[in-house]
Amino acid sequence: MTERLSDISARIEGVQQLGAVVNAIKGIAAARARTAKAQVAAVDRYSELISSALAYSMPPEDTVAPSRSSRRADPLPRGVSSAQNVSPAQNVSSAQNVAIEQSAPGTALVLFLAEQGFAGAFSERVLDSVMPQITRGMTAPLMIIGTRGLVVASTREVTPEWSAAMPSHSLGIPTLADDITHAIEAAREQQPFTHLDIVYTRWLKGRPQLVRQPLLPLSRNGVMADAHKVSPVATHTGEASTYRRASPYRRATPLMPLPREQLVTRLGQEHQHARLCQAALHAFAAENEARMEAMTSAATQIERELEDFKATLRQVRQESITAEIIELGTGAAAGNP
């Protein structure tokens, strides 16, 4: 009986320690998510402004691909090619059992997956949305962001041409965007491709939302769609709770301090960098929101187990006391015949 009491007490102590770890993970995820959510509105607005400037700088119905030189380098002017139809961002309202329209096998992909564990099916949802394209045989590079997501991808025998870790803090997002840009440029040097999509998860109204957006090539119609998106506006508390429509500049003849081709090239590079920052920050915030949700469920389960163990402990103690009373009573009766 004594051994049983000690075993149950040890289990309770172990569950309590696990609960402390779960609460710590939840607290870290909450802090990161709160910081990222306060920055998302600004990054969304910046991306919209760059899209607006680029859209009104591009000649009508033209497309352009950012130069393969560094984003911050001084690029040479590059000609603008003829128009190609590029659909606007493909947003999915529900992340459960949804099929995203797949691009051709020649479309390169940048996937934003989970960096750490305990985030539920965060990476699986993104991979499920692109597996039809991957299984058909991709002829363009695949890039994965997220260490944990890379492990999940390997279990499906998916091997990217390039991968990187998601930074542990949102301040590292711009550096990650630079690294992705350089990786795209290197991939285009080795294996030329013209189309590239980014796939990531954003957190909207307490639910994950899969987003697939074309990053290359840049079309005026696609950029205009980005510039006119409805985006969240941060309140005084930092929460993105209200919405308004972006108001792009509407000059009939925009002021251009540089030759049009050079301006479009530079804005195209800035647009690509802004879109990568936007996707990475949304994915960073969504991963931490998903981890908070998973840890909340785990904490609820731990509380249930603790209550069960405590009830068992009380029952065992009562049985032990009852047995001792019976033993004392039996001994007293035997000593007084």
Side-chain angles (χ1 to χ4, degrees):
M1 189 68 68
T2 303
E3 293 180 357
R4 189 179 177 189
L5 281 171
S6 63
D7 290 342
I8 296 174
S9 298
R11 289 188 180 183
I12 291 176
E13 183 179 356
V15 172
Q16 288 174 336
Q17 291 176 352
L18 178 60
V21 173
V22 166
N23 288 333
I25 295 175
K26 181 180 177 181
I28 294 172
R32 291 177 176 176
R34 183 168 57 251
T35 301
K37 285 169 65 177
Q39 298 167 346
V40 158
V43 172
D44 284 348
R45 182 60 179 154
Y46 173 71
S47 179
E48 290 166 2
L49 288 175
I50 293 296
S51 297
S52 176
L54 179 59
Y56 286 98
S57 300
M58 295 174 68
E61 300 183 357
D62 274 5
T63 61
V64 62
S67 170
R68 295 181 184 180
S69 60
S70 172
R71 184 182 76 91
R72 292 186 172 85
D74 187 10
L76 296 174
R78 186 171 179 177
V80 180
S81 62
S82 60
Q84 299 182 21
N85 293 327
V86 180
S87 61
Q90 301 167 351
N91 293 338
V92 180
S93 59
S94 173
Q96 297 179 351
N97 300 323
V98 292
I100 297 181
E101 181 182 350
Q102 301 300 324
S103 300
T107 300
L109 293 175
V110 178
L111 308 182
F112 290 87
L113 307 182
E115 173 60 25
Q116 299 173 339
F118 305 109
F122 185 86
S123 298
E124 286 79 356
R125 282 189 288 263
V126 177
L127 289 171
D128 287 343
S129 70
V130 298
M131 283 306 294
Q133 177 181 345
I134 294 175
T135 53
R136 285 200 305 265
M138 288 184 59
T139 59
L142 171 66
M143 305 179 186
I144 289 180
I145 312 301
T147 304
R148 178 62 183 172
L150 187 61
V151 175
V152 176
S154 66
T155 63
R156 302 189 180 199
E157 299 182 353
V158 175
T159 303
E161 280 71 21
W162 182 84
S163 63
M166 181 71 77
S168 57
H169 298 283
S170 57
L171 293 178
I173 294 295
T175 301
L176 173 64
D178 283 337
D179 293 341
I180 298 174
T181 300
H182 292 311
I184 292 173
E185 294 165 357
R188 292 179 66 196
E189 292 288 346
Q190 297 178 1
Q191 184 180 353
F193 57 90
T194 58
H195 290 73
L196 183 144
D197 289 356
I198 52 177
V199 186
Y200 62 96
T201 304
R202 62 180 296 179
W203 202 261
L204 185 64
K205 297 180 180 180
R207 294 177 59 84
Q209 179 191 53
L210 287 179
V211 180
R212 179 166 182 162
Q213 295 176 332
L215 188 64
L216 293 176
L218 295 178
S219 72
R220 191 172 188 274
N221 291 337
V223 174
M224 285 289 289
D226 293 335
H228 286 81
K229 282 181 184 176
V230 176
S231 61
V233 178
T235 63
H236 67 282
T237 60
E239 298 291 334
S241 58
T242 59
Y243 292 81
R244 64 174 169 80
R245 184 169 295 276
S247 300
Y249 297 113
R250 298 183 178 277
R251 289 182 178 272
T253 305
L255 297 177
M256 295 187 181
L258 298 174
R260 182 188 292 271
E261 290 186 354
Q262 187 175 1
L263 180 63
V264 168
T265 299
R266 292 188 177 184
L267 285 175
Q269 295 169 351
E270 192 67 27
H271 176 268
Q272 177 176 305
H273 187 266
R275 291 281 298 281
L276 289 171
C277 285
Q278 183 183 36
L281 188 59
H282 274 288
F284 179 87
E287 178 186 348
N288 283 283
E289 291 281 1
R291 185 167 295 112
M292 285 175 56
E293 188 177 76
M295 292 300 100
T296 299
S297 298
T300 301
Q301 181 62 30
I302 287 173
E303 288 296 328
R304 292 197 192 101
E305 292 187 5
L306 273 176
E307 290 300 322
D308 291 342
F309 279 128
K310 289 178 179 179
T312 302
L313 183 62
R314 289 192 295 267
Q315 181 180 354
V316 171
R317 281 177 175 171
Q318 185 61 46
E319 291 175 355
S320 176
I321 293 171
T322 302
E324 289 178 1
I325 292 174
I326 293 173
E327 184 178 350
L328 289 174
T330 303
N336 298 295

